Amino acid sequence: MMTARLFSLSLLSVLMISTAPASAAVDPAGADAVKKLVADYLDTQKNTVNADGDMTMVTKGDIIVKAAGDYYATTLPHISIQYDDGSVFEIGTITANISPGDAPNLWKMTWALPQPMTMIGANKKPEARVTFDDQALSGVWHSDINTFVQLNARYKNIVATVYDEKNAPDVTVTLPEARFGINLKQGANGNWSGPSHYTASNITVESPQEPGFVKIGKIDAIGEITDFSPAMAKDFEDKISAMSESMATGAVPSAGHVQGMYDLVLSYVGNICDSMLTKFSMHDFQVNAPAKGEEPAQKFSLQTISAAFGMKGFRSNDVSLNMSLDYDGFMAEPKLDQSETIPTESRIDITIQKVPYNELVELGRSTLKSSMESGAGAELAGLQAMMLIPQLLTNAGTSVNIKDTSFGNDLYGLKMNGDVIANMQSVLSATGKARIEVAGIDKLIAEVKKQSETATDPAVKQQMGEVLAGLTMLQMVGQQQPGTDEKGRAVRTYDIELTKEGQMLMNGTDMTTLPGLMKQP
């Protein structure tokens, strides 16, 4: 909890200075206008922080804005966040230089964060502290939409330290360098598109008891947004604020509030942009656990692990969603039990295409309204909605695509490609086909048989026996392919089909007739 709190508040301090749009003239009169705008923004930030309920943003001192050549030298008051439990996050005093940009609503900014930033506990002792050796943060702020359209930041030798109850370092996180940036461009319709990125390298997490406990070679996070509507974002913020203010603290939301929140959130998701993508990856990740008592030292590592999520097509109501997760190079020292059968690499890539977003939202709206108006009919409304969803998906041609989804190791490997399409005429409301390629199943069977024979735990032995039976049946029904794969493993293929009649076929055979396949532990 302490780490999450420290990270979120450090990010808040980075963004705090970001809204200081000024008047075009750089002169003493303009400085007064800048001072008012900064004060108004600080008030907005206070309201946002204070709304959380367990913390309060406090400022001490004055805002100082001076015309200095072609920019405004700006100094904010001392900023801190006070918690109900008595702890305080001391951010400090942020300074910035702000100058007019290339248009009346654009402002060039550079600023400096204070250090150290410290979390002080209720006992008045430090709980955590953040420091860094070097910083460079600059960007272009758009005053009409209240956000950065360009941003470049670099911090070096970041050290975050968490202290124990004796005020001694307990955990230290070190980042030699971190960078992040935004680069948005405005389209003819006034909306914005572009990428964002974050990267950090050679990260370590250590403690006096466990040196080098966690090491990460590199972290990458990238984002991409197209046709982002700032007007929609502003409207959403205003309406959320109005709805929050209209409901008494602790009160049970009325039917109107629930319906209004549903409409607001789903409208926001469907209209805020046309597409968005986020992808996170870590490289050369390792955990080193020291020996404890009779337990030997352990090491776990991954060469790469990544996850991505994307949505697109909201403007045309032809929405598709993509989700992927993959890792490779898993290794454990000493080896884990059954390590020969543990996948060292895996990939999942699933895309849902032609999602009728607007129709599903409307169905949800009417269902919610019916259930709120008649408590007794809520269950019936839900059942009716479930019956209508397959029709909506069929009319839209909704499908699920599985692409190059795989897992395995040097012993064996499995790869799958396939599509499932919504079809109201089908017994299961869908039809589909998939092709599965399994390499090295003979080697996998031999290894599982060996583990079953050497297992001493009766439950494990039984489980291994059931797995072995399923694998043996799978080997029998697979179609042997000529030659071998790049690792010298025999390959068998399995063509899976979900028919309109509701049958699941494997290479033309009803899978319910294949013992050991439809029921696995």
Side-chain angles (χ1 to χ4, degrees):
M1 178 178 179
M2 174 60 65
T3 303
R5 177 186 287 184
L6 188 61
F7 174 78
S8 62
L9 289 174
S10 298
L11 183 59
L12 172 65
S13 67
V14 169
L15 298 178
M16 190 69 67
I17 190 60
S18 65
T19 58
S23 59
V26 179
D27 54 29
D32 291 337
V34 174
K35 184 175 181 179
K36 182 180 183 304
L37 287 170
V38 173
D40 290 343
Y41 184 71
L42 286 175
D43 288 340
T44 300
Q45 289 298 304
K46 287 180 181 179
N47 292 335
T48 301
V49 172
N50 299 351
D52 201 47
D54 65 347
M55 57 184 179
T56 304
M57 178 177 158
V58 177
T59 57
K60 294 181 181 180
D62 297 325
I63 300 168
I64 301 173
V65 181
K66 295 181 179 180
D70 59 353
Y71 66 90
Y72 290 104
T74 306
T75 303
L76 273 66
H78 182 280
I79 300 169
S80 63
I81 308 295
Q82 298 182 356
Y83 288 83
D84 290 348
D85 63 5
S87 58
V88 179
F89 183 68
E90 295 286 357
I91 295 174
T93 301
I94 301 170
T95 60
N97 295 333
I98 305 169
S99 61
D102 298 331
N105 50 10
L106 297 179
W107 303 94
K108 299 176 182 178
M109 304 181 189
T110 62
W111 62 87
L113 301 180
Q115 63 166 319
M117 291 183 282
T118 307
M119 176 70 72
I120 307 229
N123 59 3
K124 308 303 179 185
K125 295 181 179 180
E127 291 185 347
R129 177 175 285 126
V130 177
T131 62
F132 43 85
D133 287 349
D134 185 32
Q135 61 176 310
L137 199 155
S138 62
V140 177
W141 179 264
H142 197 298
S143 61
D144 291 348
I145 62 176
N146 287 331
T147 191
F148 279 110
V149 290
Q150 278 90 43
L151 175 67
N152 283 289
R154 186 201 73 239
Y155 291 87
K156 289 188 175 182
N157 298 324
I158 304 167
V159 179
T161 305
V162 178
Y163 298 92
D164 62 18
E165 63 278 1
K166 297 180 180 179
N167 199 31
D170 187 33
V171 177
T172 300
V173 182
T174 304
L175 290 80
E177 183 174 77
R179 294 175 177 266
F180 59 93
I182 300 170
N183 187 21
L184 300 180
K185 302 294 184 182
Q186 189 173 24
N189 62 356
N191 291 342
W192 294 78
S193 303
S196 61
H197 74 271
Y198 171 86
T199 182
S201 304
N202 300 319
I203 303 147
T204 61
V205 181
E206 299 181 302
S207 74
Q209 296 77 27
E210 299 175 338
F213 181 61
V214 176
K215 294 183 179 180
I216 304 173
K218 188 177 183 182
I219 291 177
D220 282 314
I222 62 172
E224 183 84 26
I225 193 166
T226 63
D227 208 37
F228 167 72
S229 171
M232 183 67 189
K234 181 65 166 60
D235 182 66
F236 178 77
E237 292 175 3
D238 292 344
K239 288 180 178 178
I240 282 288
S241 178
M243 290 186 69
S244 300
E245 292 175 359
S246 65
M247 189 172 69
T249 303
V252 177
S254 66
H257 270 96
V258 174
Q259 189 80 45
M261 186 61 70
Y262 175 92
D263 291 340
L264 184 60
V265 172
L266 274 297
S267 176
Y268 175 81
V269 172
N271 292 280
I272 189 63
C273 66
D274 183 52
S275 69
M276 62 182 300
L277 168 70
T278 58
K279 183 176 181 179
F280 174 84
S281 61
M282 285 195 301
H283 308 272
D284 299 325
F285 172 79
Q286 61 179 269
V287 177
N288 299 285
K292 292 184 178 179
E294 297 181 357
E295 293 291 329
Q298 291 183 308
K299 177 181 177 180
F300 303 92
S301 62
L302 282 167
Q303 289 182 4
T304 304
I305 180 170
S306 66
F309 178 75
M311 306 185 294
K312 65 179 181 179
F314 285 99
R315 297 284 185 252
S316 59
N317 194 33
D318 185 13
V319 176
S320 64
L321 312 175
N322 175 261
M323 297 153 282
S324 65
L325 174 67
D326 60 84
Y327 72 84
D328 66 70
F330 173 76
M331 183 181 68
E333 298 177 358
K335 290 185 176 181
L336 302 174
D337 293 340
Q338 304 170 11
S339 61
E340 283 74 12
T341 58
I342 296 175
T344 59
E345 58 184 20
S346 176
R347 174 177 171 78
I348 299 171
D349 191 330
I350 299 174
T351 300
I352 306 174
Q353 299 174 318
K354 296 185 178 298
V355 178
Y357 182 83
N358 292 340
E359 290 80 357
L360 291 172
V361 169
E362 182 58 37
L363 176 60
R365 179 182 293 112
S366 60
T367 302
L368 179 61
K369 183 178 180 181
S370 298
S371 63
M372 296 294 287
E373 290 177 349
S374 174
E379 185 174 347
L380 178 59
L383 290 173
Q384 290 175 335
M386 293 301 296
M387 294 176 64
L388 288 172
I389 287 176
Q391 185 65 61
L392 295 178
L393 298 180
T394 299
N395 292 343
T398 303
S399 65
V400 178
N401 172 257
I402 302 171
K403 180 180 179 181
D404 294 336
T405 291
S406 62
F407 66 89
N409 56 27
D410 288 339
L411 186 70
Y412 70 94
L414 180 148
K415 182 169 69 174
M416 179 178 181
N417 288 276
D419 294 281
V420 178
I421 303 173
N423 186 346
M424 268 296 290
Q425 304 304 314
S426 169
V427 172
L428 297 178
S429 300
T431 58
K433 292 183 178 181
R435 184 176 180 85
I436 300 174
E437 299 178 4
V438 180
I441 193 172
D442 51 337
K443 296 180 179 180
L444 179 60
I445 288 174
E447 179 60 34
V448 173
K449 183 177 180 181
K450 175 183 174 182
Q451 293 179 5
S452 176
E453 292 172 347
T454 58
T456 57
D457 187 324
V460 173
K461 197 175 189 67
Q462 179 181 352
Q463 184 184 51
M464 290 293 99
E466 292 173 352
V467 171
L468 185 61
L471 290 174
T472 301
M473 178 58 68
L474 193 63
Q475 182 185 38
M476 291 174 58
V477 300
Q479 294 184 351
Q480 179 78 48
Q481 300 300 303
T484 60
D485 69 359
E486 66 279 2
K487 294 184 178 181
R489 302 174 301 191
V491 178
R492 284 177 167 79
T493 60
Y494 305 83
D495 291 315
I496 311 297
E497 181 178 4
L498 175 60
T499 69
K500 289 178 62 175
E501 293 74 28
Q503 285 184 300
M504 183 74 77
L505 306 179
M506 176 183 288
N507 291 338
T509 301
D510 189 336
M511 291 180 64
T512 60
T513 66
L514 301 176
L517 283 183
M518 299 303 289
K519 183 179 180 181
Q520 288 296 319

